[in-house]
């Protein structure tokens, strides 16, 4: 199939391109490069067979969207493009609603006009808010705690309304848990701009000596050692999940909402320990106050993904640390654009 990958130059998108090309699909990337680099696409090309077509465009521009759909006979869309920084979304909620929610509405409108009705959407475990019980099944109550999370919830509802209006839609809503790590080649990986918001890229930057130490946000949660527990998932496993979802949509009409996680939670201190073991580097840290809005624990019940998609995570924490560290060591400054 010919797949339009919005946000394809980003972290999860670039890894998914590799898996799509491996599965024999053709890819067209639509990205405004607001949080990514074309170097990622050049690197994907190095580890893949098959070409990538890149269209620099913005979801907020219906003209850009029309142009890409008129230039290519798209069969399906995988929609990664969006802003994802929780803190920034609190400061600039309208930016998030315009870019993520309105941008997705523009995309869907263009899909309707182009007669394309197959969509895989990047949602997030953040839609579960503070979980009442664990592990999280897809039918658990939702309730995001910040504007970023609400953009995901609103888009999910918009997509369900769309499917309700026209039975031709086939939509997979994938709720990712905490993606980390990198492609084992070390050629593509996460490339945060500025100070990382997330735990894993912060740890790798401490390990490489770019930051002196890690702040652990609270050790008084009701967890194994008091630090926050999350379901970390290798980005390559996550990427494979998208190919499985596309295959499933070939025979599924309506909306399929699925968790992509491992089902296993690890605490911050367990993550530090695993990373030290794999990298041989010390990770100096200090315990500081809880981060506003954080929850104690979050991990998936991944059984629906197994049943519906025939997918399950294959990599464990050690491989996530190994591949994430391999990427960081070989690309200490991330993607460097030559011009
Ligand atoms: P990323 O920032 O690396 O990738 C997003 C891409 O979208 C970037 O390349 C960016 O340039 C592009 N983009 C943003 N706004 C755009 C617009 N208006 N028009 C065109 N392109 C635009 O992020 P990621 O980690 O790869 O995340 C991909 C998706 O998965 C996002 O929707 C994110 O919310 C979701 N998600 C991410 C995580 C995570 O922890 N990384 C967890 C759950 C869900
Ligand atoms: C993990 C754990 C922190 C940084 C966020 C978004 C969520 C999703 C993924 C997109 C927590 C602790 C972190 C640090 C720390 N994104 N921590 N020191 O908070 O589960 O999820 O990213 O959808 O929406 O909210 O991930 O990596 O930020 O934190 O101690 O410097 O590490 O308190 O327990 P989180 P994270």
């Amino acid at each position: 199939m010919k797949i339009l990958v919005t946000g394809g130059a980003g972290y999860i998108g670039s890894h998914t391109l590799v898996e799509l090309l491996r599965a024999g699909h053709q890819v067209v990337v639509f990205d405004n490069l607001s949080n990514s680099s074309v170097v990622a696409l050049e690197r994907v090309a190095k580890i893949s067979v098959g070409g990538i077509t890149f269209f620099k465009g913005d979801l907020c521009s219906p003209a850009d969207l029309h142009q890409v759909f008129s230039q290519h006979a798209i069969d399906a869309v995988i929609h990664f493009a969006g802003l994802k920084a929780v803190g920034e979304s609190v400061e600039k909620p309208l930016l998030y609603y315009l870019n993520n929610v309105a941008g997705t509405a523009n995309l869907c409108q263009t899909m309707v006009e182009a007669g394309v009705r197959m969509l895989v959407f990047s949602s997030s475990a953040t839609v579960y808010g503070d979980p009442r019980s664990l592990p999280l099944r897809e039918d658990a109550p939702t309730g995001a705690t910040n504007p970023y999370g609400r953009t995901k919830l609103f888009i999910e509802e918009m997509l369900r309304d769309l499917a309700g209006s026209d039975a031709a839609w086939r939509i997979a809503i994938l709720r990712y848990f905490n993606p980390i790590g990198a492609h084992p080649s070390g050629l593509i990986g996460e490339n945060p701009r500025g100070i990382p918001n997330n735990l894993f890229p912060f740890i790798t930057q401490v390990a490489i000596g770019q930051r002196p130490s890690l702040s652990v946000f609270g050790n008084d949660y009701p967890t194994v050692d008091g630090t926050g527990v999350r379901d970390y998932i290798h980005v390559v496993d996550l990427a494979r999940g998208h190919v499985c979802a596309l295959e499933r949509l070939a025979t599924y009409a309506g909306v399929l909402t699925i968790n992509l996680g491992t089902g296993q939670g690890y605490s911050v201190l367990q993550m530090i320990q695993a990373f030290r073991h794999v990298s041989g580097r010390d990770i100096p840290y200090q315990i500081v106050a809880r981060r506003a809005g954080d929850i104690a624990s979050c991990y998936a019940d991944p059984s629906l993904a197994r049943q519906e998609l025939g997918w399950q995570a294959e990599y464990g924490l050690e491989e996530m640390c190994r591949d994430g560290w391999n990427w960081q060591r070989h690309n200490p400054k991330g993607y460097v654009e030559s011009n």
Side-chain angles (χ1 to χ4, degrees):
M1 286 196 290
K2 190 174 236 189
I3 317 295
L4 182 73
V5 184
T6 77
Y11 172 46
I12 305 169
S14 56
H15 288 80
T16 303
L17 294 178
V18 174
E19 301 306 317
L20 288 168
L21 290 167
R22 223 156 76 104
H25 295 293
Q26 292 172 274
V27 294
V28 177
V29 171
F30 181 92
D31 200 305
N32 66 1
L33 302 180
S34 59
N35 195 37
S36 53
S37 163
V38 276
V39 178
L41 301 178
E42 293 160 16
R43 300 281 185 89
V44 169
K46 277 192 184 165
I47 43 182
S48 307
V49 177
I52 301 164
T53 303
F54 176 53
F55 186 104
K56 186 170 180 198
D58 197 307
L59 292 176
C60 298
S61 161
D64 288 354
L65 287 162
H66 281 123
Q67 210 178 331
V68 77
F69 277 91
S70 63
Q71 284 174 5
H72 301 279
I74 302 297
D75 298 299
V77 177
I78 305 186
H79 178 33
F80 294 105
L83 298 172
K84 63 167 182 178
V86 172
E88 184 186 53
S89 79
V90 175
E91 285 160 24
K92 301 175 183 168
L94 290 177
L95 174 68
Y96 275 67
Y97 290 119
L98 285 168
N99 194 77
N100 293 6
V101 181
T104 303
N106 287 338
L107 171 68
C108 292
Q109 176 63 30
T110 315
M111 289 176 71
V112 168
E113 287 161 16
V116 181
R117 299 283 196 287
M118 200 185 287
L119 175 69
V120 178
F121 171 63
S122 301
S123 189
S124 168
T126 196
V127 301
Y128 295 116
D130 196 350
R132 283 181 219 162
S133 67
L134 292 165
L136 282 158
R137 284 164 40 120
E138 290 79 357
D139 56 5
T142 52
T145 55
N146 56 68
Y148 164 73
R150 274 185 283 278
T151 68
K152 293 296 180 192
L153 266 184
F154 295 166
I155 294 167
E156 284 199 4
E157 293 300 332
M158 180 168 76
L159 296 178
R160 291 189 189 100
D161 286 340
L162 201 52
S165 74
D166 177 350
W169 278 96
R170 296 153 184 269
I171 300 176
I173 293 174
L174 303 180
R175 292 176 173 164
Y176 314 152
F177 281 67
N178 289 57
I180 62 167
H183 191 268
S185 64
L187 284 174
I188 55 172
E190 191 169 7
N191 188 34
R193 294 192 172 167
I195 302 171
N197 297 309
N198 297 115
L199 177 65
F200 191 79
F202 206 105
I203 289 179
T204 63
Q205 292 194 2
V206 171
I208 201 88
Q210 279 171 9
R211 307 202 179 270
S213 69
L214 170 76
S215 294
V216 174
F217 298 140
N219 67 349
D220 56 352
Y221 287 106
T223 63
V224 56
D225 55 23
T227 64
V229 166
R230 299 289 184 276
D231 184 340
Y232 297 97
I233 173 169
H234 196 299
V235 67
V236 171
D237 275 333
L238 189 65
R240 275 195 309 106
H242 293 74
V243 180
C244 298
L246 265 186
E247 282 163 9
R248 181 68 183 97
L249 289 182
T251 55
Y252 190 95
V255 182
L256 197 49
T257 303
I258 297 197
N259 288 337
L260 292 182
T262 66
Q264 171 76 50
Y266 290 103
S267 74
V268 176
L269 296 182
Q270 287 170 334
M271 172 63 85
I272 294 172
Q273 184 51 35
F275 193 86
R276 277 178 171 159
H277 175 71
V278 165
S279 66
R281 297 286 174 110
D282 187 25
I283 308 295
Y285 70 86
Q286 65 280 341
I287 307 291
V288 302
R290 291 181 178 193
R291 180 170 66 179
D294 268 358
I295 55 175
S297 297
C298 177
Y299 49 91
D301 177 340
S303 38
L304 191 64
R306 202 166 47 240
Q307 280 165 39
E308 284 289 348
L309 308 182
W311 173 94
Q312 62 184 19
E314 285 171 5
Y315 290 113
L317 191 60
E318 193 158 319
E319 287 104 345
M320 300 182 212
C321 292
R322 179 198 67 197
D323 294 336
W325 175 228
N326 185 43
W327 154 254
Q328 179 72 78
R329 267 188 315 140
H330 290 104
N331 305 270
K333 294 189 175 145
Y335 296 118
V336 180
E337 295 181 26
S338 57
N339 44 16

